[in-house]
Amino acid sequence: MFEEIVSYIARTNLFNFIIFMSVILFLAHKMDVKGKLEQSKQNINDVIEESKIVKEESETRLSSIEESMSHIEQEINTILLKSAENAKLVGEKIVQDAEKNVIIIRDNADKAIENSRVILKNDLIKRATLASVEVAKSKILHELYHNQGLHDQLIEESINAIEGVQK
């Protein structure tokens, strides 16, 4: 009887196993598991290739950035030196322009002083001349008023001078 039970279990398990494998094979065939596995494999390979490309690009960019960063100190120093040179040149230019402006202002001030001196001198001469004429006029009028002979003599000389011009 033991043999019958084992035979029954073996047949039942074998039958169940055959049915299970048939269903699995049918589903695998129907679902195209092989194709899907191949597709997944291809997708994974594509992702790996894309990752390799991105990694290479990243490494290239990283090396480029590292190279530019290695020169950044030198570039900063160069920029600072150029800025210092430019500042020095601009400072020298400002000083030169200021010195030129000082000379021009000094020259203009000297000219203005000289012009003022000339104007003042001419004004003084004019005033002195007018004062001298007034003094002379009053002296002559005083002399003519007090000395009738001198008055007559001047009239006579003026008439003779006029007659001399007419001849």
Side-chain angles (χ1 to χ4, degrees):
M1 178 136 124
F2 181 71
E3 288 180 6
E4 285 179 17
I5 294 176
V6 171
S7 172
Y8 176 73
I9 290 175
R11 275 186 281 140
T12 309
N13 281 342
L14 181 62
F15 179 71
N16 285 339
F17 180 73
I18 291 172
I19 290 176
F20 176 71
M21 285 308 284
S22 297
V23 169
I24 295 285
L25 288 174
F26 174 76
L27 287 176
H29 179 67
K30 197 68 169 158
M31 293 175 70
D32 191 26
V33 171
K34 184 177 179 184
K36 296 217 184 263
L37 286 174
E38 285 296 321
Q39 181 67 32
S40 294
K41 182 180 171 183
Q42 184 61 41
N43 287 344
I44 290 170
N45 285 338
D46 290 346
V47 168
I48 289 171
E49 285 300 316
E50 188 176 325
S51 296
K52 286 179 183 177
I53 292 171
V54 168
K55 180 184 175 187
E56 288 175 3
E57 290 174 355
S58 296
E59 287 174 348
T60 303
R61 287 182 57 207
L62 177 63
S63 67
S64 171
I65 290 170
E66 285 174 345
E67 183 179 332
S68 69
M69 291 301 288
S70 69
H71 298 299
I72 196 121
E73 276 298 319
Q74 184 180 5
E75 290 177 14
I76 289 172
N77 288 336
T78 303
I79 290 170
L80 289 174
L81 286 173
K82 286 183 181 178
S83 296
E85 289 173 7
N86 286 342
K88 182 179 177 184
L89 292 175
V90 168
E92 289 174 357
K93 178 71 172 146
I94 290 171
V95 169
Q96 287 174 353
D97 290 346
E99 288 172 351
K100 287 179 185 176
N101 286 338
V102 166
I103 290 171
I104 290 170
I105 290 170
R106 209 176 265 148
D107 289 345
N108 288 342
D110 289 344
K111 288 176 185 175
I113 290 169
E114 184 60 32
N115 287 341
S116 295
R117 221 181 272 150
V118 168
I119 290 170
L120 185 59
K121 178 182 171 186
N122 289 340
D123 187 50
L124 288 174
I125 290 172
K126 180 180 175 183
R127 288 179 188 214
T129 304
L130 289 175
S132 297
V133 167
E134 283 300 317
V135 168
K137 178 181 170 185
S138 95
K139 180 152 175 77
I140 290 171
L141 288 176
H142 183 281
E143 283 296 320
L144 289 175
Y145 182 73
H146 288 2
N147 188 349
Q148 188 61 36
L150 182 61
H151 185 121
D152 292 339
Q153 180 187 352
L154 284 174
I155 291 174
E156 188 66 36
E157 286 177 7
S158 297
I159 291 172
N160 290 337
I162 291 172
E163 287 176 354
V165 171
Q166 286 178 350
K167 291 184 183 179

